[in-house]
Amino acid sequence: MPKYAMAVDLERCQGCRACVEACKVENNTSQGVFWMHVFRLEEGEYPETRISFLPRPCQHCDNAPCVKVCPVGARYKRIDGLVLTDYERCIGCRYCEVACPYGVNFFNWKQPAENYYMDWSDPDIQPASGGEVPPYRNPELDGRYGSEQKQVAGGGHFRGIVEKCTFCVQRIEKGLQPACVTVCPVQALVFGDLEDQESPVSTYLRGKQSFRLLEETGTEPRVHYIGGRTPGTDVREIEPVEGRVGA
Amino acid sequence: MGITRRRFLQGSALAGAAAGAAAGQRLLFGELETVVAAHPALAVAPSVEDFVPTTCWIGKQDCGIIARRINGRVISLAGQPEHPLNLGALCPKGPAQITALYDPNRVKTPLIRTNAKGQSGTWRRASWKEAIDLVAARVKETRDKDPKLVLWQKGRSKAKSFYDDAFVNSLGATKLGHGTYCSDAGYRALEYTIGLTGVLHPDFRETRYLLSWGWNITNGGGNKFCWITWPRQMLEARERGMKIVQIDPRLRGAGPFADRWLPIRPGTDLALALAFSNVLVAEGYVDGEYLARYTNAATLVRNDGTLVRVDGVPQVWDAAADGPAPLETASQPALDGAYTVDGMPARPAFELYREQIASYTPEWAADVCGLAADEIRGVAIEFGRNARIGSTTVVDGVRVPYRPVGIAAYHMSQQELGFQAVRAMLMMTMLVGAPGAVGGQMADTSWKIDKNYTALDEVEVKDPPYGYTLKSSRYFPINSGFPGMVAKVMLDPRRYGVEKLPEVMITHYVNPLVSFLSRREFIESYAKFKFVADISPWLSETADYFADVVLPAATLEKYEGPSSANDQYTDAVALRVPAMAPLFESRGEIDIYLDLTEAVGVLYGEGGYLDELNKSLKLEPPHALPLDKKPTPREIFDHWALAQGIEQGVSHFETKGVYVKGPLKPAKRYGYVTDPPFGGALHRFYGESLLRYRNEMQAKGAEEVYWRDYTPFPTWRSLTMDASPAEYDLDLISYKLIEHKQSRTGFMPLLAELAPRQRLDINPRTARERGIADGDEVWVESQNAVTGETRRVRTRASYTEAIRPDTVGMPNHFGLWADPRARERGPSPNEIYYVGEGYMTNTADQSFLVKVRVSRA
Amino acid sequence: MSANAPGTPLPQGIGRITPGWLTIVGLAAVAVALGIYAYSLEASEGLVATGLRDLGTMGGATWGLYVTFVVYFGGVAFGGVTLAALIRLLRLDELRPIGRLGQLLTVVALLLAAIAILVDLGQPLRGLVNLFLYARPQSPFFGTFTIVLSGYLFASLVYLYLDGRRDAAICARTPSRLRWLYRLWAAGYGDSPGERARHRRASFWLAVAIVPLLVVATSTLGFVFGLQAGRPGWYSAVQAPAFVTLAGVSGVGLLIVLAAVVRRVAGSEDRLGLNVFRRLGGLLLGLVLVYLFLLATELFTATYTGEVVERRLTEALLWGEFAGIFWAALAFFLLSLALLLWQALTRRWSIPLLVVAGLLVNLAAIGKRYLIVVPSQTHGQLLPYPEGSYTPALGEFAVIAGLFGLGVLLIALFMKVFPIVELPEEEVPAGA
């Protein structure tokens, strides 16, 4: 059984947020939803200024607080390590969201189809879009995954439920890498199977110092960071994304 | 289903009670249930999935893209792994442009204006035939009078052979680009000095010490490459041990990658380069062999600044023969000393340089640049030491001089002293013999000498009347073709000795009102065009105000190219292939130009568009296009591909996207070992012709502002903006964000979500002194020290410790209004810069220097 | 059993519709209608109609007013039923007249809490099914949904039924349109000494069993927050006891207010005498003291230790964005403490002053519940997200107003069908 994990090389990340965009398109997430987020951080005073970047996918924790608190078992941990949400079971209580110290959960506040940035109902684009909303809608995301055959992939399925990063379950079950990993211009993200000694993530982590985010909260994340350090408490986020969704 | 699995603890508390000790422990300690995930199973199989290779359509370097399609509908864009420039990766603009592709706000059909110009347009839809016929008739009318009065202006060049070359030449039109806002002053400096069209960049595979100079490393790209190729090469170089010195008022783009940050005051780069050179000369970091052999540093200069010539051939002092000799025959060209030739005193150019550079000490520069003298000296010495003068190395079996130091610089050339600043920076690398060495200074992916190497040396300064671009004028003998200056000329032609003004303009995906500086001049001058046709997928602000006709261009859905995929180590070429049928009624630009030239009557026959295409694409029989038959773009690319020796023709690109020719040999990459060395260009350490222009300009009555920077060696002078009143106490810089490309992306929702609005980067110290809190609305007001004019924009303060306290910065985007989604994202800093004397270079390039004051709104 | 003479009215104004009653019921109905309207908007647009948003990049709070009131109503429910049980357990016969009020308060508050949970859910209908179908004991919510809802509801309904049988029997003697109900409720209970003793025994043992369960149940409400290691401000061992104490405070406080109202409108001045209020006041005083001690402990821990996020959060509470609510809540607590202390020390108890204290502690409790729920989300991020913000939308206030309206409506209706205050012994005709 594979043991999926991700390595993030902070000495390579240039904070370009290509991963954020690749994720949004691959997983059809709607406006204001950042399953992958890249912090751009600044600390120190001029001229001793330090700039750093911190990609933040779901940490797919082994001791995931979100899984523990879910009152209906919609959020679950697969034996291969993925922490997923059963979109058909989630009741939208958002307990996972407050329990998660990483801020990776996103609730569908609106009808997703009404939250894809613009009005796609223009009849002139129907011939090209086939009426799909958004026009780049990926039908694979409606599939069922894993032996438990649950609807867990992608975003924008139902109003009033919580969704989050799936490590691109629809891709990894086909033997592909998550979209964020593939797109990274500087190969700062590495994904694979920790059980397999020759997998990219195993070889990348071997012999390198690494840390995990907020380890003190006991979450046992599956995302390992190389180089850099846990952001200190005096860091400031610069260039935040536009995350707020209006009514 | 027959699969064993440990299920959730279901049901009520009963389940917990029944589950025994293990479950009890789970309950107490909150262990997690797992669900066995085993067999990959896809419930929904896409009906028909296919992949089409194409290229990125937003950025500069046309990264290879694979469009994933389901039933012919593009659902995602990923990188092409085989494309040398991006190797399967993309920057944020890559995947995000999918929303641009489907954008219902694109121009859907040809539009014809129904209201007066100079205001937001109202339009009626037209057929392609009607629109093309209308444009053709107006072009023809003006062209019959004087083809030069047809102005073709572009913002991007995705198929230079088809647009800049064939189309412009077949019409005989005047061409203007956007380079004067980008890096043309640097291009001119390099063309003039070493004959290469480019700006300074390193040999990342080998460079050990890099001055990243005004270069927004990870956000700025380069003249040849974007945000993927450079950062990747930079990171690999760093992992091999390269050190980076970031010379920039703002740190952000260099982020965690700079080993040292010299936060220089904007506009003083020339002074710093001179001081670095001063230290190199003083400390003896001088590669005499390179200077004497491959540059004109040994050439003898008379007291009046002209070169000593015998039969028209410049002479050096051959120390072996103790007499003057042409460089080719001199066995020991002297770099120092004073000599007498034909009874007149003469000294090697380098001797003059040594004398001049002596006054530019680090202490002097420290004051000018706002840096510490030791820091300047320290960096110069490290640069000199790392250059390892005299060493060689073997690359692919070829022995080449090894000088692993270089400079990366790009848009910083667009400053008042930009031409000379870039020249001085290049000369600094010339002192250590770095140009064309392994690990040394590069400027292009080959050593092919540009025609400007000669042309810029042989400009004839003429008397009026001048053409409206002021080419060969007493104002700008070296002239980059500046749309801002054209606008000024149109407003006051007599002032510049111009008689004929352009009448018809075709704007090819360019948006001068927003992406060029100083909107006022453009609004006033564009009102004078009799006819404007715009070719673009979106309604630009310029089209909104001034276009008579808008022709909708396709985005990813067209054939376009060829584009170089050379990453400076591997040679390759790529084509854009339509990822799907053009949306709405849009069409590819090549289709549009084929129709337009046909309607104007310049498609067929000699000198026509097809003939010009044969020239620009180098199509020889049997692959030449017949001159009497209108081809499709695909057919043209098929001819071209076959002419390139690609057997499958265009279908190679339709299946693979890129054609990789293979690694570049050292004899192509390194100037020292090309045949002839450095492409046969003698490097102009001493700029004799610059002095000649100065004299001729003076003789023809040009004011000092035009001729003062035409000096044979780069010479510092104080900046025009420093004459602004003291209350304008901050320098404004503008810069790129990786999420946006000029004014072309502000309305793309996925990108606007990442970088939503304009801001003013300000040091918290500076802000607090003015009572400005993080996020406060502020006025940024600039002042023109020459005219006294002030301009202001309103934006939000954004605290950052990564900027000099006397400098504020704004990203060079936003300020759009034609697309509803782009509004209310704040202004463009371009609105508060100035065009005109004192705010441009001696080469008719835009300067991005201005003094501002900032106050709470 | 002989029937009362025709024309004898039922006690405590049952069945009599007065203009005052109509006004109150009308106002409450308007509030309910408003709440339903606000929720219908929310149901059609989605929770985007609220001021809630995601934590992190969206810079919001994902739990807000609704969860605040789930906790508040849960606390009130605890207070009501616990007091009713304690009356049995400790034989606090003086307080028996308010026993039914306590039981009723619990039933009503539980209903309101359950509705508040449902309106907060993104998928309320799924919630109704899945919360029971897939209930997981590992989730602290499990406690909320099973023990709190079902436990309280069971206990309070049992008490309500048992205690009501005698009064039902009495009321059944009077012919009225509701006679069938009273007969049904009384179910043959005749209030004989034997029956009475059996009744008392059952009540006592039930109380013995239920009081610890109630404490545990309310603790689980605290655990919903207190077990979250990743959320500064929540992760605390004092969370559960503080929740229980504050629940008692708000429950007893509200009971005082209700008792005062009932005393007036149901004409029960004699049954609900000053001694009842004195007892309640004393109880409230004790609970407020314990709660303030826990609050001080919590604050001291948060400010004394150097943990930056905790400190930042405390700063936001003490003088930042939430300072207004924090200091107001604290002032209300202290003011009510002063009122209660003064009355206790001077031994001069006044019902109006007790009502004021009861109202104050409830406002303070609502404020404190809000401060538990919201700031840890907006200001308690461990990763460097920008500070979040949450301003409840008008619709959220309307829904909450609707919930209070519903509560008032239910109690008012109850008062018109059943004696809200246990009927006095002497009304029992001799020889029955």
Side-chain angles (χ1 to χ4, degrees):
Chain A
M1 187 52 62
K3 188 177 173 195
Y4 290 123
M6 184 179 277
V8 180
D9 192 339
L10 298 179
E11 280 172 9
R12 292 205 129 232
C13 177
Q14 55 166 343
C16 74
R17 292 175 173 162
C19 47
V20 176
E21 297 298 64
C23 170
K24 295 211 68 150
V25 175
E26 169 66 31
N27 290 300
N28 296 167
T29 57
S30 51
Q31 190 168 347
V33 174
F34 295 93
W35 286 7
M36 174 60 113
H37 175 57
V38 179
F39 287 99
R40 293 173 178 169
L41 304 168
E42 198 181 280
E43 58 192 309
E45 266 184 43
Y46 174 90
E48 304 301 322
T49 316
R50 187 176 176 274
I51 284 172
S52 56
F53 307 114
L54 182 75
R56 183 241 62 200
C58 170
Q59 307 289 308
H60 291 271
C61 305
D62 281 346
N63 189 23
C66 59
V67 175
K68 283 178 159 179
V69 301
C70 181
V72 296
R75 180 61 60 81
Y76 66 103
K77 174 119 184 137
R78 289 204 326 194
I79 205 156
D80 61 7
L82 301 194
V83 173
L84 298 174
T85 316
D86 180 349
Y87 296 148
E88 291 162 320
R89 187 182 286 191
C90 174
I91 59 170
C93 72
R94 311 186 295 291
Y95 199 176
C96 49
E97 206 180 323
V98 295
C100 171
Y102 305 101
V104 306
N105 292 285
F106 290 86
F107 181 75
N108 285 334
W109 298 99
K110 287 184 181 178
Q111 194 64 260
E114 288 160 17
N115 196 25
Y116 281 107
Y117 304 96
M118 47 182 134
D119 180 9
W120 294 107
S121 62
D122 188 320
D124 291 335
I125 59 164
Q126 302 302 315
S129 70
E132 295 284 352
V133 177
Y136 50 92
R137 177 132 204 105
N138 180 1
E140 265 177 19
L141 301 178
D142 301 328
R144 294 175 176 276
Y145 292 89
S147 62
E148 66 276 12
Q149 288 292 293
K150 287 181 182 293
Q151 190 182 354
V152 291
H157 290 292
F158 303 101
R159 192 182 83 183
I161 62 162
V162 176
E163 301 171 332
K164 67 153 194 72
C165 161
T166 65
F167 270 164
C168 285
V169 62
Q170 74 280 8
R171 287 173 65 90
I172 60 178
E173 289 201 4
K174 281 201 293 185
L176 298 171
Q177 297 267 302
C180 55
V181 173
T182 307
V183 80
C184 180
V186 290
Q187 290 98 49
L189 305 174
V190 183
F191 177 83
D193 175 9
L194 283 180
E195 295 282 291
D196 174 2
Q197 290 302 303
E198 297 316 308
S199 74
V201 72
S202 300
T203 49
Y204 206 87
L205 283 170
R206 195 170 301 141
K208 292 199 180 82
Q209 282 249 317
S210 65
F211 70 92
R212 294 179 294 171
L213 279 181
L214 307 179
E215 275 185 278
E216 66 278 12
T217 57
T219 49
E220 300 288 328
R222 281 277 178 103
V223 178
H224 301 258
Y225 291 84
I226 296 162
R229 54 195 162 97
T230 308
T233 41
D234 61 336
V235 298
R236 305 173 290 277
E237 187 181 29
I238 53 168
E239 304 176 332
V241 296
E242 186 169 71
R244 199 94 183 173
V245 172
Chain B
M1 290 190 301
I3 302 164
T4 40
R5 54 178 107 145
R6 284 185 283 150
R7 259 295 189 179
F8 303 105
L9 288 175
Q10 271 190 358
S12 63
L14 285 175
Q25 191 192 2
R26 214 176 281 157
L27 197 102
L28 276 174
F29 299 104
E31 270 180 36
L32 300 177
E33 316 88 310
T34 51
V35 174
V36 181
H39 316 291
L42 254 180
V44 179
S47 341
V48 184
E49 179 186 40
D50 63 354
F51 297 88
V52 182
T54 181
T55 61
C56 172
W57 156 94
I58 295 181
K60 171 198 296 286
Q61 67 176 21
D62 292 6
C63 286
I65 277 184
I66 298 175
R68 181 178 175 217
R69 309 196 308 179
I70 286 183
N71 296 335
R73 180 171 58 93
V74 178
I75 65 155
S76 69
L77 305 169
Q80 271 176 34
E82 301 79 20
H83 198 290
L85 289 178
N86 60 313
L87 297 176
L90 288 175
C91 80
K93 299 181 281 303
Q97 65 192 284
I98 198 155
T99 54
L101 174 67
Y102 289 109
D103 188 348
N105 291 320
R106 275 170 56 170
V107 182
K108 292 172 179 168
T109 67
L111 299 175
I112 293 178
R113 191 177 200 93
T114 55
N115 64 346
K117 296 202 270 188
Q119 58 184 324
S120 225
T122 55
W123 311 91
R124 69 175 172 86
R125 293 186 168 198
S127 70
W128 271 100
K129 178 153 187 355
E130 184 190 3
I132 290 278
D133 285 350
L134 176 58
V135 177
R138 303 303 300 268
V139 167
K140 199 165 178 315
E141 189 184 306
T142 299
R143 188 174 174 269
D144 288 346
K145 215 177 346 172
D146 181 351
K148 289 280 158 212
L149 303 188
V150 176
L151 178 61
W152 181 82
Q153 188 157 213
K154 68 163 184 179
R156 54 198 276 127
S157 200
K158 293 299 183 185
K160 196 167 171 287
S161 323
F162 287 84
Y163 312 152
D164 304 41
D165 300 339
F167 180 67
V168 170
N169 291 342
S170 67
L171 287 181
T174 304
K175 173 180 101 177
L176 285 181
H178 66 286
T180 48
Y181 297 96
C182 174
S183 55
D184 268 5
Y187 277 75
R188 299 297 94 79
L190 265 59
E191 287 159 2
Y192 179 79
T193 309
I194 57 173
L196 298 185
T197 286
V199 290
L200 303 170
H201 66 79
D203 176 21
F204 266 132
R205 280 203 185 158
E206 304 285 349
T207 303
R208 308 278 303 174
Y209 194 79
L210 175 69
L211 303 184
S212 165
W213 202 320
W215 187 44
N216 193 350
I217 290 192
T218 54
N219 284 222
N223 64 318
K224 301 283 177 193
F225 308 122
C226 270
W227 305 263
I228 293 180
T229 315
W230 277 142
R232 196 181 58 229
Q233 293 188 3
M234 180 270 290
L235 282 168
E236 282 164 8
R238 274 193 96 236
E239 281 161 9
R240 276 191 302 272
M242 183 184 75
K243 295 280 173 252
I244 294 179
V245 178
Q246 181 69 15
I247 303 172
D248 197 321
R250 179 176 168 268
L251 179 63
R252 163 65 177 87
F257 311 112
D259 297 283
R260 199 162 181 171
W261 179 29
L262 299 188
I264 188 175
R265 193 167 89 77
T268 63
D269 307 87
L270 172 56
L272 184 62
L274 293 172
F276 281 153
S277 304
N278 166 294
V279 177
L280 290 173
V281 171
E283 300 286 330
Y285 292 113
V286 175
D287 187 343
E289 204 179 319
Y290 160 79
L291 288 171
R293 273 297 150 205
Y294 299 113
T295 78
N296 67 1
T299 313
L300 294 167
V301 182
R302 293 184 208 278
N303 283 350
D304 65 358
T306 59
L307 301 183
V308 174
R309 285 189 170 80
V310 172
D311 299 331
V313 180
Q315 302 287 304
V316 300
W317 191 265
D318 187 352
D322 205 21
L327 180 61
E328 289 73 33
T329 58
S331 57
Q332 253 186 293
L335 287 171
D336 330 279
Y339 309 97
T340 308
V341 183
D342 296 338
M344 298 222 280
R347 290 189 291 168
F350 193 74
E351 179 72 18
L352 298 175
Y353 177 78
R354 190 193 289 277
E355 196 178 284
Q356 188 180 337
I357 206 78
S359 60
Y360 294 125
T361 61
E363 287 69 22
W364 164 81
D367 257 10
V368 177
C369 306
L371 299 168
D374 327 349
E375 196 127 41
I376 298 174
R377 181 169 280 111
V379 170
I381 289 173
E382 276 180 34
F383 186 86
R385 191 182 299 142
N386 275 287
R388 307 187 194 193
I389 296 167
S391 65
T392 60
T393 188
V394 176
V395 180
D396 298 340
V398 183
R399 184 161 288 281
V400 193
Y402 181 55
R403 303 282 183 281
V405 293
I407 295 175
Y410 186 21
H411 299 302
M412 56 73 63
S413 62
Q414 301 316 96
Q415 51 169 295
E416 193 178 352
L417 297 169
F419 174 79
Q420 292 289 20
V422 173
R423 212 169 113 71
M425 288 153 65
L426 174 63
M427 285 167 68
M428 169 187 172
T429 72
M430 289 166 77
L431 284 176
V432 299
V438 173
Q441 189 59 55
M442 303 291 155
D444 196 355
T445 52
S446 81
W447 288 83
K448 196 174 148 282
I449 300 307
D450 190 85
K451 61 182 191 318
N452 266 350
Y453 174 70
T454 313
L456 298 183
D457 193 44
E458 295 174 351
V459 177
E460 198 188 327
V461 181
K462 292 184 181 156
D463 287 313
Y466 299 129
Y468 57 83
T469 59
L470 300 182
K471 201 164 181 270
S472 301
S473 69
R474 66 183 175 212
Y475 304 108
F476 304 103
I478 295 180
N479 185 326
S480 294
F482 183 23
M485 201 61 215
V486 170
K488 280 194 87 80
V489 166
M490 286 176 76
L491 295 176
D492 190 1
R494 286 173 59 193
R495 152 100 175 70
Y496 294 98
V498 172
E499 289 174 354
K500 290 202 251 180
L501 295 180
E503 294 181 358
V504 167
M505 176 163 68
I506 299 170
T507 45
H508 179 114
Y509 204 4
V510 64
N511 192 5
L513 256 51
V514 176
S515 56
F516 291 179
L517 269 58
S518 200
R519 183 177 297 157
R520 190 175 62 81
E521 276 84 353
F522 288 103
I523 288 195
E524 288 171 13
S525 64
Y526 282 14
K528 299 189 170 191
F529 278 106
K530 292 181 179 162
F531 186 80
V532 176
D534 184 57
I535 301 172
S536 167
W538 279 272
L539 187 71
S540 73
E541 283 63 28
T542 308
D544 184 35
Y545 265 49
F546 293 107
D548 294 277
V549 175
V550 182
L551 303 175
T555 63
L556 279 174
E557 331 96 273
K558 65 191 173 201
Y559 285 96
E560 201 173 39
S563 57
S564 165
N566 175 332
D567 72 342
Q568 87 167 323
Y569 301 104
T570 303
D571 201 8
V573 65
L575 271 194
R576 173 169 302 121
V577 173
M580 59 198 288
L583 260 80
F584 316 118
E585 287 180 35
S586 70
R587 307 180 66 197
E589 285 91 334
I590 297 175
D591 283 305
I592 297 174
Y593 285 139
L594 284 166
D595 283 4
L596 190 56
T597 50
E598 186 179 35
V600 174
V602 293
L603 175 63
Y604 306 110
E606 260 180 54
Y609 187 58
L610 297 172
D611 191 29
E612 291 293 338
L613 273 180
N614 281 336
K615 287 184 219 162
S616 61
L617 290 169
K618 300 191 177 67
L619 304 179
E620 308 274 350
H623 303 301
L625 300 165
L627 300 187
D628 54 354
K629 184 178 156 282
K630 186 169 157 188
T632 64
R634 187 179 183 278
E635 283 161 0
I636 303 174
F637 283 113
D638 200 44
H639 279 255
W640 167 80
L642 292 170
Q644 295 287 304
I646 301 165
E647 273 174 36
Q648 305 93 315
V650 70
S651 63
H652 171 90
F653 294 94
E654 290 167 335
T655 50
K656 301 208 168 59
V658 65
Y659 179 70
V660 180
K661 298 176 190 166
L664 280 164
K665 297 266 184 293
K668 285 267 186 205
R669 261 159 52 202
Y670 298 114
Y672 277 100
V673 292
T674 59
D675 183 27
F678 299 105
L682 182 70
H683 294 172
R684 288 191 187 108
F685 198 78
Y686 180 75
E688 186 202 25
S689 40
L690 299 178
L691 182 64
R692 178 164 58 81
Y693 302 151
R694 178 191 184 100
N695 294 334
E696 289 174 11
M697 290 159 82
Q698 279 176 315
K700 291 190 189 295
E703 292 105 317
E704 186 186 353
V705 68
Y706 301 106
W707 54 254
R708 59 186 169 178
D709 296 322
Y710 281 93
T711 53
F713 290 126
T715 309
W716 172 258
R717 64 167 171 82
S718 65
L719 302 168
T720 302
M721 67 169 177
D722 287 340
S724 278
E727 72 242 47
Y728 296 90
D729 54 350
L730 299 170
D731 291 316
L732 174 69
I733 57 168
S734 68
Y735 57 85
K736 285 182 189 174
L737 295 174
I738 195 162
E739 293 88 351
H740 288 299
K741 179 72 178 170
Q742 295 153 3
S743 63
R744 298 173 198 156
T745 54
F747 48 82
M748 293 185 191
L750 284 172
L751 295 171
E753 194 176 25
L754 294 189
R757 64 180 55 79
Q758 186 54 268
R759 61 173 189 241
L760 181 77
D761 289 326
I762 188 165
N763 191 295
R765 227 175 304 167
T766 314
R768 287 192 198 106
E769 281 166 15
R770 289 159 177 75
I772 296 166
D774 197 12
D776 275 359
E777 288 277 323
V778 291
W779 285 111
V780 186
E781 182 181 286
S782 68
Q783 202 261 1
N784 184 323
V786 176
T787 63
E789 185 186 349
T790 62
R791 296 175 178 176
R792 62 177 196 167
V793 291
R794 190 185 160 126
T795 183
R796 275 186 213 171
S798 166
Y799 276 19
T800 174
E801 293 282 355
I803 196 165
R804 277 179 71 89
D806 60 5
T807 303
V808 288
M810 287 170 82
N812 176 29
H813 310 284
F814 310 107
L816 305 171
W817 68 79
D819 190 301
R821 290 157 307 169
R823 285 175 210 152
E824 288 169 26
R825 296 190 180 277
S828 164
N830 294 346
E831 294 167 34
I832 55 171
Y833 282 105
Y834 298 93
V835 158
E837 290 74 8
Y839 288 84
M840 56 196 293
T841 72
N842 59 331
T843 52
D845 273 282
Q846 176 66 49
S847 162
F848 285 75
L849 297 178
V850 75
K851 284 281 183 187
V852 297
R853 65 174 173 191
V854 173
S855 54
R856 246 173 71 174
Chain C
M1 252 187 272
S2 63
N4 277 12
T8 312
L10 284 165
Q12 299 177 13
I14 295 173
R16 264 174 297 156
I17 308 297
T18 61
W21 186 86
L22 272 180
T23 311
I24 288 174
V25 166
L27 286 175
V30 167
V32 171
L34 203 67
I36 290 174
Y37 172 70
Y39 182 69
S40 72
L41 289 184
E42 208 176 286
S44 64
E45 285 174 42
L47 284 175
V48 72
T50 66
L52 300 167
R53 289 299 181 270
D54 288 319
L55 312 184
T57 52
M58 211 177 271
T62 196
W63 283 358
L65 221 48
Y66 295 155
V67 172
T68 301
F69 279 91
V70 170
V71 177
Y72 169 73
F73 288 132
V76 168
F78 166 79
V81 70
T82 307
L83 193 65
L86 286 177
I87 291 169
R88 304 288 152 197
L89 197 62
L90 306 178
R91 300 183 192 278
L92 304 172
D93 286 341
E94 282 181 7
L95 288 179
R96 280 194 55 182
I98 59 147
R100 184 162 305 139
L101 203 51
Q103 295 144 13
L104 182 63
L105 184 60
T106 297
V107 175
V108 170
L110 278 179
L111 184 69
L112 301 185
I115 295 174
I117 289 174
L118 286 180
V119 297
D120 190 56
L121 290 185
Q123 292 278 354
L125 293 179
R126 276 193 197 179
L128 275 176
V129 177
N130 289 6
L131 277 174
F132 299 99
L133 196 57
Y134 302 114
R136 288 175 68 252
Q138 295 92 326
S139 172
F141 257 8
F142 181 79
T144 311
F145 289 112
T146 55
I147 319 183
V148 175
L149 287 181
S150 47
Y152 288 8
L153 199 61
F154 173 74
S156 50
L157 283 176
V158 165
Y159 277 127
L160 197 59
Y161 170 70
L162 288 180
D163 277 5
R165 289 209 295 178
R166 188 180 65 95
D167 289 0
I170 294 167
C171 292
R173 292 175 202 146
T174 309
S176 70
R177 267 180 295 170
L178 290 168
R179 204 166 181 176
W180 60 271
L181 174 73
Y182 303 132
R183 282 185 175 155
L184 195 69
W185 191 325
Y189 182 82
D191 203 26
S192 66
E195 278 172 318
R196 235 183 254 180
R198 241 181 296 135
H199 178 181
R200 282 201 175 191
R201 259 199 316 281
S203 299
F204 176 81
W205 286 109
L206 192 62
V208 168
I210 211 125
V211 169
L213 179 68
L214 294 177
V215 172
V216 170
T218 306
S219 299
T220 69
L221 264 181
F223 289 146
V224 166
F225 302 91
L227 295 181
Q228 302 314 317
R231 203 131 296 284
W234 285 5
Y235 191 46
S236 156
V238 84
Q239 210 67 272
F243 260 73
V244 174
T245 318
L246 191 54
V249 169
S250 52
V252 173
L254 203 57
L255 213 51
I256 291 177
V257 177
L258 280 179
V261 172
V262 165
R263 182 181 141 91
R264 283 286 299 278
V265 301
S268 310
E269 282 87 350
D270 49 336
R271 293 287 289 134
L272 294 172
L274 194 59
N275 57 336
V276 171
F277 285 89
R278 199 183 60 224
R279 280 275 189 164
L280 288 174
L283 188 57
L284 185 58
L285 174 60
L287 287 167
V288 167
L289 277 173
V290 174
Y291 181 70
L292 285 175
F293 167 69
L294 290 173
L295 183 64
T297 316
E298 199 184 331
L299 271 180
F300 189 59
T301 316
T303 45
Y304 189 82
T305 52
E307 215 290 300
V308 180
V309 184
E310 290 278 359
R311 214 173 50 212
R312 210 178 283 157
L313 188 63
T314 315
E315 278 166 14
L317 280 184
L318 296 186
W319 30 82
E321 208 179 310
F322 302 100
I325 299 177
F326 177 83
W327 291 111
L330 195 64
F332 287 177
F333 275 130
L334 292 175
L335 196 57
S336 61
L337 179 70
L339 283 174
L340 293 167
L341 263 181
W342 185 77
Q343 295 180 70
L345 292 176
T346 59
R347 291 168 187 264
R348 276 189 291 176
W349 294 91
S350 130
I351 294 176
L353 282 183
L354 279 170
V355 167
V356 169
L359 282 173
L360 283 176
V361 292
N362 270 279
L363 287 174
I366 291 170
K368 193 62 186 66
R369 297 305 192 197
Y370 183 84
L371 293 180
I372 288 167
V373 173
V374 175
S376 286
Q377 299 177 70
T378 55
H379 290 64
Q381 293 292 347
L382 293 174
L383 291 183
Y385 291 107
E387 269 177 17
S389 67
Y390 166 61
T391 313
L394 278 180
E396 285 169 86
F397 287 114
V399 168
I400 297 302
L403 288 178
F404 275 104
L406 182 62
V408 170
L409 203 59
L410 290 173
I411 293 173
L413 286 175
F414 185 90
M415 284 173 69
K416 290 297 160 197
V417 294
F418 206 78
I420 189 106
V421 180
E422 211 176 285
L423 295 174
E425 303 276 340
E426 42 291 5
E427 277 186 27
V428 182

